[in-house]
Amino acid sequence: MSKINRIKGFADLFPPESTAYVFMEETAREVFSRYGYQEVRIPVLEHTELFARSIGQETDVVQKEMYTFPDRKGRSLTLRPEATAGVVRSYIDSSFSGAGMMAKLFTFGPMFRYERPQKGRMRQFHQINAEIIGEDSPWSDAEVIIMLWSYLKKLGLQSLDIEINSLGCAGCRPGFHNSLKAYLKMLDQKALCSDCRKRSESNPLRVLDCKVPGCRDMMEDAPRINSNICAGCESHFETVISMLESFGLKYYLNPNLVRGLDYYQRTTFEVISHDIGAQSSVAGGGRYDGLVGSLGGPDVPGIGFACGMERLALLLQDLNDRPKDFYLAVLHEQALSKGLLLAQRLRDKGFSGDMGFQVRSVKAQLRQANKMGVKTCLLLGIDELEKREIQVKDMETGVQKTVGQDDVEQALGLNIKGKNNNFVRKG
Ligand code: HAM
């Protein structure tokens, strides 16, 4: 039979890579819950219109990157290219919105974008999303950014830069659009890519985000949004910035940071790593004040971010699963059943470990224990079975001693330090 291949741009994740994903998720749960966030789980498949309306018809994501197909009844469905639209839809459907409550929600999971795969860019990739819906205070922007930063620090990451910008609001954006349109009109239209020619009229902000080098060059002298925002947006932005300064967070103002999704207003930000190649943005986010209303919900604001787990995983390659606490080597057929019960008792007490289901030589089983990196190997032969004992071998010192079967927990306990932490750094 021929082998069935994986889809291009989709990956299987095994340890140690998958270890990094578990570490990122567990750390996010721990950190975000301290800020009052609750975990939501939402579908990966949504009506296409959700993304077209929220991310925006003119964006690369909607125009070129979505996995869209009809279901069996001909309805257009899309594998989510990002999570914010789905979280907002779920908020609107939930009791939070009915009660007009502020919601702090986070979610993890796979996203799908038909992009050209390369290091740090996949067609199925994973995000950690955090969103605050129902709060427009600049202090919430600051808290979101500080939480993201604290999370990345808790992962042990260093050498990251944070870039920040304000995109103005529904009030001041039209004025900026007009000056951008006037600038675009002065340019040689033929030198712009075909997408940008269309976007010059319909959505000029997207031209600022174009990745085609020719368009980029032509936009170098374009008007900057941060010098065109209204007094309200300016004071909002200044409060955010001054809070980041009080926190001691070094940021870079980037007036070109427009982000690739249409729903953003006011504060936008990205976290950049210089250690992972061209796909350097490890997290991005911003405020989306008109989004909930535009998706049929109450007119409430929102802000959030998403971390790209593939990119963070590139920075967490030194992470390993903590070795198991024990390996139980059974040295005689008659000891298998006792061995399984003993291993179960230890696991019930919170120890982690494995046992060999085949009776093999002591040498072979010690080799196996060594390979697993366990600190302790337990050896159970016919003699031990009869005497209700077990051999406990410290794999580091090589010291082996006989203990009663009722005392294994104590013997293991003495041999294991820091049992509550599931992850270790290599080296
Ligand atoms: P985004 O900038 O499109 O924002 O994606 C966020 C992060 O996801 C990026 O910074 C990057 O790390 C990762 N990412 C994006 N595309 C790929 C890919 N093809 N392969 C690997 N990683 C990728 C959003 O998705 C917004 N929904 C974020 C947000 C939440 N804004 C407000 N709330």
Side-chain angles (χ1 to χ4, degrees):
M1 287 270 228
S2 62
K3 174 169 106 56
I4 299 169
N5 291 328
R6 240 183 321 119
I7 302 171
K8 185 176 172 190
F10 287 58
D12 304 310
L13 300 174
F14 285 97
E17 215 179 347
S18 55
T19 306
Y21 283 66
V22 177
F23 176 60
M24 285 184 260
E25 290 177 358
E26 289 193 356
T27 309
R29 282 194 182 97
E30 184 193 330
V31 173
F32 297 176
S33 65
R34 283 194 223 138
Y35 292 76
Y37 284 74
Q38 292 173 292
E39 184 167 349
V40 283
R41 299 184 186 212
I42 54 170
V44 292
L45 203 56
E46 301 271 4
H47 291 292
T48 303
E49 196 191 347
L50 175 71
F51 303 115
R53 240 206 271 171
S54 55
I55 297 171
Q57 281 291 359
E58 306 283 340
T59 56
D60 277 356
V61 173
V62 170
Q63 282 188 345
K64 302 176 191 166
E65 297 168 3
M66 295 205 305
Y67 281 86
T68 295
F69 48 88
D71 73 1
R72 288 178 184 275
K73 291 206 168 147
R75 291 168 293 219
S76 181
L77 302 181
T78 294
L79 279 171
R80 62 180 182 191
E82 58 106 55
T84 309
V87 172
V88 168
R89 185 208 42 70
S90 74
Y91 168 87
I92 296 169
D93 283 347
S94 75
S95 53
F96 285 115
S97 71
M101 277 160 67
M102 196 261 274
K104 283 180 156 182
L105 304 170
F106 72 95
T107 194
F108 315 116
M111 313 291 150
F112 305 86
R113 294 185 195 175
Y114 196 88
E115 293 189 89
R116 196 167 50 78
Q118 61 180 95
K119 183 178 170 193
R121 190 163 73 192
M122 297 295 287
R123 290 182 174 167
Q124 174 178 286
F125 61 99
H126 299 78
Q127 284 186 343
I128 296 176
N129 270 260
E131 316 283 356
I132 303 185
I133 304 176
E135 179 57 67
D136 65 0
S137 156
W139 305 106
S140 65
D141 302 31
E143 190 190 83
V144 161
I145 296 170
I146 289 171
M147 182 177 86
L148 169 60
W149 197 249
S150 306
Y151 170 62
L152 296 169
K153 294 285 128 188
K154 182 87 185 172
L155 293 181
L157 302 181
Q158 275 145 18
S159 314
L160 297 173
D161 285 337
I162 184 150
E163 297 186 354
I164 185 163
N165 192 21
S166 173
L167 293 184
C169 62
C172 52
R173 189 84 68 81
F176 176 65
H177 273 189
N178 288 340
S179 26
L180 204 52
K181 276 184 191 168
Y183 173 84
L184 286 161
K185 272 211 180 94
M186 289 180 343
L187 299 177
D188 175 8
Q189 294 295 305
K190 284 191 228 92
L192 288 171
C193 74
S194 60
D195 285 332
C196 285
R197 278 201 294 277
K198 278 185 242 143
R199 290 165 178 168
S200 301
E201 261 310 305
S202 54
N203 194 345
L205 201 62
R206 287 276 69 87
V207 184
L208 283 172
D209 191 36
C210 181
K211 281 146 202 121
V212 175
C215 299
R216 283 196 158 199
D217 293 347
M218 290 171 80
M219 295 310 283
E220 263 189 1
D221 297 324
R224 294 285 182 258
I225 193 154
N226 55 348
S227 38
N228 285 272
I229 58 177
C230 64
C233 287
E234 202 171 325
S235 118
H236 184 104
F237 195 53
E238 270 167 14
T239 307
V240 178
I241 295 286
S242 70
M243 189 60 231
L244 298 185
E245 279 166 12
S246 309
F247 178 68
L249 206 165
K250 193 163 161 240
Y251 58 85
Y252 295 88
L253 292 178
N254 178 358
N256 293 323
L257 185 72
V258 291
R259 310 268 302 126
L261 314 162
D262 268 358
Y263 49 63
Y264 289 116
Q265 293 193 9
R266 293 197 158 176
T267 316
T268 52
F269 51 91
E270 270 182 29
V271 179
I272 309 291
S273 163
H274 301 288
D275 301 322
I276 53 171
Q279 300 306 314
S280 58
S281 165
V282 296
R287 182 160 276 292
Y288 46 84
D289 290 351
L291 181 60
V292 186
S294 77
L295 292 176
D299 187 17
V300 295
I303 182 166
F305 65 79
C307 299
M309 297 177 78
E310 277 67 15
R311 295 182 194 176
L312 290 179
L314 291 171
L315 297 166
L316 289 170
Q317 286 180 357
D318 64 339
L319 209 65
N320 252 342
D321 277 323
R322 177 170 286 284
K324 301 284 169 275
D325 298 331
F326 67 86
Y327 177 75
L328 197 151
V330 176
L331 307 174
H332 194 280
E333 288 286 335
Q334 284 174 28
L336 276 168
S337 137
K338 180 72 201 173
L340 194 64
L341 291 174
L342 184 57
Q344 183 58 33
R345 190 181 92 204
L346 296 174
R347 290 165 182 149
D348 285 344
K349 300 253 169 78
F351 295 100
S352 62
D354 216 346
M355 87 172 240
F357 299 126
Q358 309 292 338
V359 174
R360 287 183 297 153
S361 69
V362 175
K363 202 171 151 201
Q365 303 226 49
L366 286 177
R367 209 180 303 126
Q368 173 67 17
N370 218 3
K371 213 163 117 194
M372 286 171 59
V374 295
K375 194 124 193 325
T376 309
C377 185
L378 305 170
L379 299 123
L380 188 64
I382 195 77
D383 271 6
E384 288 79 16
L385 191 69
E386 280 162 8
K387 295 186 190 148
R388 288 194 44 77
E389 289 172 347
I390 194 158
Q391 300 290 326
V392 177
K393 186 176 179 81
D394 184 317
M395 297 299 288
E396 265 171 27
T397 61
V399 174
Q400 186 168 322
K401 58 181 180 183
T402 308
V403 305
Q405 283 176 12
D406 292 338
D407 303 325
V408 192
E409 286 87 341
Q410 208 204 351
L412 279 180
L414 296 177
N415 215 4
I416 291 160
K417 293 193 190 86
K419 260 185 52 56
N420 291 331
N421 184 349
N422 288 324
F423 305 98
V424 283
R425 302 252 174 213
K426 278 187 212 157

